[in-house]
Amino acid sequence: MTELRQRMNDAMVLRGLADRTRESYIACVLGLAKHYRPPPDQLDAKAIQAYLLHLITEKKLAYASVNQAACAFRFLFGTVLGREAARFDIPMSKVPKRLPRVLARDEIVRLFAQCRTLRDRTLLETVYAAGLRLSEVCALELPDIESAPDRSCIKVRQGKGGKDRYTILSPHLLESLRLYWRTYRPRRWVFPNRAGDGPLFVQTAQRMYRAACDAAGLANTAGIHTLRHSFATHLLEAGVDLHSIQRLLGHGHISTTMRYLHLAQGRLTGTPSPLELLPLH
């Protein structure tokens, strides 16, 4: 790591930025450095804006990825290098608002049935049953599964934003986890990597999900995060209130959870049309 990137990393550590945020910001600065010959601290706002345009028009990156790069550059120039914000007025791209993909209940059943191994199925069941993020399920450790009858839950350590929380441990999932443990005998992490000396790589978990989707004939299912969206939507359809779902998901704002109102089919299909309320007959 160059001296500049080390300074940036140290500044992020001091401000308590999450590990994945630091990794993403450093990767954005590294991409900038590879694109231009001069080091990033010698670039001006015009060069930064040209690079962001390059990411959109030539790299074809999603606007969310471009926004992340813009945030990384703001942090580098504004916080690390101490340059005036007015000199680096980097516009943020407007991210198109799209509803996330949600699997129907029968699709979830088909997905689990087509998992290649018991480990694959147990991991995907855990994501869906507890509403976990990909990084959260990979980082689970055995003590995080609290199975006492009077305290049955899963502890999520240092989720998004560096926050701990508790989420559901269903009896069915607990049975699956116990069968999985008897078969594989993990020692520290619930889902360790192949060497057993660390947590499962997120790319490996994504491949498990994609392989199961392909075997089940499920198209346009995006990534494994679809199971988390399905968890929230199915709870809402079952009558669970938004604030409880917000806490289970670890959302900082209720507005983030409210988007699942648009996905709950039961609430939509069960709503009468105003035409039915008119005295037409």
Side-chain angles (χ1 to χ4, degrees):
M1 183 179 291
T2 65
E3 179 184 356
L4 179 61
R5 291 201 295 274
Q6 185 63 58
R7 285 174 56 194
M8 182 174 178
N9 186 67
D10 292 345
M12 290 188 289
V13 171
L14 287 173
R15 286 158 180 79
L17 272 66
D19 291 345
R20 294 194 68 183
T21 301
R22 300 204 313 269
E23 292 171 3
S24 298
Y25 279 19
I26 292 295
C28 291
V29 173
L30 180 59
L32 179 68
K34 289 182 177 179
H35 183 73
Y36 291 110
R37 287 187 177 182
D41 57 348
Q42 296 181 16
L43 300 175
D44 57 15
K46 184 177 180 180
I48 301 299
Q49 290 169 330
Y51 177 69
L52 293 174
L53 182 62
H54 164 76
L55 295 181
I56 296 172
T57 59
E58 297 185 35
K59 290 289 188 177
K60 306 296 183 183
L61 295 188
Y63 280 102
S65 299
V66 178
N67 283 343
Q68 184 178 66
C71 290
F73 302 151
R74 285 181 187 276
F75 187 89
L76 173 63
F77 289 105
T79 304
V80 180
L81 299 177
R83 300 188 186 179
E84 295 180 5
R87 294 181 58 193
F88 294 93
D89 185 19
I90 304 170
M92 299 291 284
S93 305
K94 180 177 289 187
V95 180
K97 294 183 179 180
R98 298 187 178 93
L99 293 177
R101 171 79 159 91
V102 171
L103 297 177
R105 290 176 178 81
D106 65 315
E107 291 178 320
I108 296 286
V109 173
R110 286 162 50 196
L111 178 74
F112 293 159
Q114 293 300 322
C115 290
R116 294 175 297 186
T117 67
L118 176 62
R119 182 182 72 156
D120 292 12
R121 175 172 180 141
T122 307
L123 184 141
L124 297 185
E125 281 188 356
T126 303
V127 174
Y128 172 70
L132 300 181
R133 298 181 177 92
L134 175 56
S135 59
E136 293 170 350
V137 72
C138 291
L140 275 181
E141 299 186 23
L142 294 177
D144 298 333
I145 310 298
E146 302 187 12
S147 58
D150 61 338
R151 186 177 176 79
S152 184
C153 60
I154 295 177
K155 183 174 184 179
V156 180
R157 301 176 186 271
Q158 297 297 289
K160 191 172 183 179
K163 299 177 181 178
D164 293 352
R165 74 177 190 279
Y166 289 97
T167 187
I168 302 169
L169 174 59
S170 74
H172 180 87
L173 178 60
L174 181 57
E175 289 181 11
S176 297
L177 287 168
R178 284 172 170 165
L179 175 60
Y180 163 80
W181 185 85
R182 290 194 297 267
T183 303
Y184 292 91
R185 297 285 177 169
R187 295 182 179 180
R188 177 180 174 183
W189 287 276
V190 178
F191 302 104
N193 60 28
R194 179 170 296 183
D197 58 358
L200 187 71
F201 297 113
V202 294
Q203 296 88 346
T204 303
Q206 284 282 21
R207 285 195 293 268
M208 291 179 184
Y209 174 75
R210 289 301 332 156
C213 285
D214 292 342
L218 300 176
N220 302 320
T221 53
I224 196 173
H225 206 74
T226 301
L227 293 177
R228 178 173 156 92
H229 295 319
S230 302
F231 163 87
T233 304
H234 294 167
L235 282 184
L236 191 59
E237 291 175 341
V240 180
D241 64 276
L242 273 175
H243 286 282
S244 295
I245 297 174
Q246 176 192 9
R247 292 179 61 188
L248 293 172
L249 292 173
H251 286 162
H253 302 281
I254 191 65
S255 59
T256 306
T257 315
M258 287 180 66
R259 64 177 172 169
Y260 294 110
L261 287 170
H262 299 282
L263 302 173
Q265 292 298 319
R267 292 179 176 239
L268 294 178
T269 57
T271 302
S273 166
L275 182 64
E276 303 300 323
L277 305 178
L278 300 178
L280 299 178
H281 303 289

